[in-house]
Amino acid sequence: MTPPHPVLGSAAAAASMAALALGYRAGFGARSQGFGPFPYHGSTGARVVALTFDDGPNEPWTSRLLDVLGGREVPATFFQVGRCAQRHPDVTRRVLAEGHVLGNHSLSHAFRRYLTDPRQDEEVRGGQEVLAEVSGVTPLLYRPPWLCHWPWVLGGVARSGSAVVSGTFAHPLEVVQPAARRLTDGAVRRAEPGAMLILHDGREARGGNRAQTVAAVGPLVDRLRARGYTFTTVDRLLGVPAYR
Ligand SMILES: [Zn+2]
């Protein structure tokens, strides 16, 4: 075998890297619409935002977060993982009882389950069914783990009768818990009319310490209110039903 021509070889490698990068961006970018509608924003000019929390319930952090939100009378949207809701069903029920909205964030949050169409159906519907058993409502808002919106993911969401939801990461490193002050600063900077700010009260289906996120939320609410913002939930912001 002859080795590839060095120039052509590197051009081909560069081209395939570029194609990969584009595919990744189309399939995972929070704002990319390449495979179909992937709403990341409500269409409003008013100073209103939706705070969203993914990967819970996860104790004691979800309960502490509910205390912070309740103390400030801020409604939020919780995209919960089915397996986590099975671990903490009482916390899932508390989310609803306190006026927040419950969304679906898959059954298991497992990356390998993204790879085929039937598995994706199991993830979307499985999450929906577990959350329905636990809470008594069937969520129709679906935020895919890692915001993956490959065509078969969008297909699975549509087949479940759900609406897919993206958002804006409140801080690019929030998942790994930098200091609360940095999280608050980042989230205040990214807030704009109609934004759905993404934070995490867990990490995938594994739980973990979310102290910095919990500590960031009170000051975030206070600073946004000082700028004239009010808070709503994703279903109201997008004008779609939260439950079947
Ligand atoms: Zn997630």
Side-chain angles (χ1 to χ4, degrees):
M1 272 190 64
T2 49
H5 184 281
V7 174
L8 289 182
S10 62
S16 60
M17 286 304 288
L20 261 179
L22 277 175
Y24 183 86
R25 202 184 160 85
F28 290 88
R31 299 189 169 192
S32 70
Q33 309 289 316
F35 294 130
F38 192 48
Y40 60 89
H41 207 276
S43 49
T44 174
R47 291 198 155 209
V48 55
V49 296
L51 299 182
T52 71
F53 297 94
D54 294 3
D55 295 4
N58 168 37
E59 288 297 281
W61 312 107
T62 305
S63 289
R64 291 189 188 170
L65 189 56
L66 288 167
D67 293 343
V68 171
L69 295 169
R72 288 172 169 78
E73 298 187 349
V74 171
T77 306
F78 288 79
F79 288 95
Q80 295 195 335
V81 178
R83 294 295 181 223
C84 301
Q86 285 172 323
R87 255 177 252 147
H88 305 289
D90 49 326
V91 183
T92 297
R93 288 190 282 269
R94 183 180 164 196
V95 162
L96 278 176
E98 298 192 357
H100 304 290
V101 165
L102 179 64
N104 178 8
H105 192 49
S106 83
L107 176 62
S108 69
H109 211 299
F111 188 76
R112 65 193 154 73
R113 299 191 61 93
Y114 268 120
L115 301 179
T116 66
D117 198 78
R119 282 182 163 192
Q120 196 44 224
D121 275 333
E122 287 170 27
E123 279 297 289
V124 179
R125 277 183 205 270
Q128 200 177 41
E129 284 166 11
V130 166
L131 292 171
E133 277 163 28
V134 166
S135 72
V137 298
T138 303
L140 290 178
L141 300 170
Y142 186 76
R143 176 175 281 155
W146 302 284
L147 302 184
C148 175
H149 49 295
W150 283 333
W152 53 91
V153 176
L154 294 182
V157 177
R159 283 188 292 276
S160 75
S162 305
V164 74
V165 179
S166 181
T168 298
F169 288 101
H171 189 290
L173 299 177
E174 187 258 335
V175 168
V176 295
Q177 295 290 276
R181 234 180 66 111
R182 286 178 62 195
L183 294 180
T184 304
D185 289 348
V188 169
R189 260 200 314 279
R190 287 174 183 83
E192 53 185 4
M196 299 185 279
L197 292 174
I198 303 173
L199 293 139
H200 294 79
D201 54 333
R203 188 163 179 193
E204 300 171 14
R206 297 183 265 141
N209 187 314
R210 307 307 299 170
Q212 300 306 317
T213 293
V214 171
V217 168
L220 170 62
V221 167
D222 297 343
R223 283 172 60 183
L224 289 179
R225 276 190 170 147
R227 293 174 181 218
Y229 277 93
T230 60
F231 299 88
T232 190
T233 51
V234 165
D235 54 315
R236 287 190 203 148
L237 197 54
L238 297 181
V240 297
Y243 309 116
R244 181 166 292 148

